[in-house]
Structures are given as C-alpha cells and as structure tokens.
Amino acid sequence: AQTVTQSQPEMSVQEAETVTLSCTYDTSENNYYLFWYKQPPSRQMILVIRQEAYKQQNATENRFSVNFQKAAKSFSLKISDSQLGDTAMYFCAFMKNFGNEKLTFGTGTRLTIIP
Amino acid sequence: GAVVSQHPSWVICKSGTSVKIECRSLDFQATTMFWYRQFPKQSLMLMATSNEGSKATYEQGVEKDKFLINHASLTLSTLTVTSAHPEDSSFYICSALRLAGAYEQYFGPGTRLTVT
C-alpha cells in the first residue's frame, strides 16, 4: 500500500516570499502520478500541479513548481512570490497508474500567508 | 471545463433518517467517481470507488449497507447515508475521474451533513 507523509502541519510566510512544502511517499510502483491540491476555506479542492513519475523534468505552473526526486521518493512544492490567496490547506497525493486511480492523500499542511 | 457539482451543499437531518447526496460531472463523462469523507482539520479519507454500471468498491472499514452508492449514468453518482446518526456528521466530497489526456480527478464542492 502507498503512504504519503507531510511532515509540516502548519507553515506561515510573509507575502511575496517563497515557501517550500515537503512531501515524501512510499511505493513499490514505478509508474504513478503525484499531485498537490489546495483546499482554501471554501473547502473546494483545487489541483495545483501534477507530476508524472516517468518524467524527469520537474513540473511548473506559473508561481508553483515541484522538486521531484524519484529515488528519494520526495515531492516538494515551491510557491514563489506568495500571495494572500495562497492561504489554504495543501495536500500532497499519490495515484497509481493504469487501472487503479485512487488518490492517497497526505495529512496536509496549513499554509498562512501573512500580509 | 471539467466541472463537478454536488447537491445539496448543506443538509441537516434527524437521527434515523436517510439522506441522499448527488455528484454530477457537468461537462464530461466519468466512468469512475470517488466518495471521500473529511473531518474538521483532517485529510480526505476515501470511502468508496463508484463505477458506472457496477457495484461500488468500498474501502476497509466503511459500512456498505450504511453508505449506499449508486452510479447509474456516466455523469451521476449518488451516496445515500442510511439510518443516519450524529457520528455520520461530516463533510462529504465526491470526485470524478476524467480519462481524456491524463488521469485526473475533479472534485465537487462538498456536502456538509449534520445529523441531529
């Protein structure tokens, strides 16, 4: 079974600064997807970024980028130029490929952007 | 695109009654939908996987007779909480899997259930 660990329950950072959220996972699979989801106070889950395990290049989406280290089973999220709207819970998630699309979530990191 | 709706967004029911929650994919077909439960300040816990035209697959520890799931069409899955009790009060979230391009789940806005 897969496990996803987020070791930072809470983090805070000043507006405009950069912050990195950590995520590690454990799996015996070789092909899989990794995700970062954001859950703001509205509780709507929003996909922030996705990484396919077979891709060596780290995914980026505007101010959001990941550092994917497959051998170390590490998948951190970097938020640059943080904005007040980035305040939310962030969940790291794992999905096996081809035939089992269940998401396994980490426990989440509560991120607060300070004005 | 890729919008998932849930209805109702908030429901209060009395202990012992049943309540149905709908999950719809509005602009894509979803052969697979998922139901999650989230307690305050906690992560999402997968309850079951709903497959169109077949029986749902429940996660270990989830009572299938209490949480009835029906996936009658490619755009609709329903979760019925039967004989609800106060401990069933929670936030229920559905997601729909869109296979076009890549595996990705799109989430509904959630349903807050309060059992009195």
Side-chain angles (χ1 to χ4, degrees):
Chain A
Q2 286 66 232
T3 59
V4 179
T5 302
Q6 293 179 250
S7 59
Q8 305 152 312
E10 294 187 14
M11 296 186 72
S12 61
V13 66
Q14 292 288 137
E15 189 177 7
E17 291 186 347
T18 295
V19 61
T20 299
L21 281 58
S22 301
C23 173
T24 58
Y25 59 95
D26 188 26
T27 184
S28 58
E29 303 290 328
N30 190 48
N31 295 317
Y32 50 87
Y33 293 95
L34 294 164
F35 304 85
W36 279 99
Y37 283 93
K38 168 184 177 181
Q39 189 179 42
S42 68
R43 303 190 78 171
Q44 170 73 58
M45 295 290 284
I46 301 166
L47 177 65
V48 175
I49 200 164
R50 175 181 62 227
Q51 175 79 44
E52 292 88 342
Y54 66 87
K55 291 186 178 179
Q56 292 186 339
Q57 186 173 10
N58 289 324
T60 62
E61 288 287 342
N62 300 313
R63 298 183 295 108
F64 300 88
S65 61
V66 298
N67 183 0
F68 173 50
Q69 302 290 329
K70 190 173 183 179
K73 296 180 181 175
S74 171
F75 183 61
S76 61
L77 173 70
K78 185 171 81 172
I79 306 174
S80 303
D81 186 25
S82 57
Q83 301 175 358
L84 297 179
D86 296 332
T87 293
M89 280 290 290
Y90 286 82
F91 294 101
C92 178
F94 173 100
M95 177 193 285
K96 284 169 62 175
N97 204 356
F98 302 127
N100 187 333
E101 297 83 18
K102 295 192 296 185
L103 279 171
T104 300
F105 286 93
T107 52
T109 296
R110 182 173 300 278
L111 176 65
T112 301
I113 308 301
I114 303 168
Chain B
V3 178
V4 176
S5 69
Q6 275 184 247
H7 179 79
S9 57
W10 180 60
V11 58
I12 300 175
C13 70
K14 295 194 174 192
S15 186
T17 62
S18 297
V19 60
K20 179 186 288 187
I21 302 169
E22 293 186 347
C23 176
R24 294 182 184 272
S25 55
L26 298 184
D27 50 4
F28 66 99
Q29 293 183 332
T31 56
T32 303
M33 292 184 174
F34 302 87
W35 287 96
Y36 298 86
R37 185 173 182 177
Q38 186 179 33
F39 291 106
K41 298 186 178 182
Q42 292 189 22
S43 187
L44 281 69
M45 182 191 76
L46 179 66
M47 298 175 65
T49 302
S50 169
N51 294 294
E52 187 268 337
S54 64
K55 291 184 178 181
T57 302
Y58 291 83
E59 295 298 299
Q60 191 172 6
V62 177
E63 299 176 60
K64 59 182 65 177
D65 293 332
K66 180 166 190 61
F67 299 99
L68 301 179
I69 291 172
N70 183 277
H71 194 155
S73 77
L74 289 173
T75 59
L76 173 64
S77 176
T78 60
L79 168 68
T80 301
V81 183
T82 63
S83 186
H85 290 283
E87 57 264 33
D88 298 325
S89 298
S90 189
F91 193 68
Y92 293 87
I93 304 174
C94 74
S95 70
L97 181 67
R98 189 174 78 165
L99 296 178
Y103 289 87
E104 186 169 335
Q105 290 188 26
Y106 293 88
F107 287 82
T111 296
R112 180 178 301 281
L113 170 64
T114 301
V115 184
T116 61

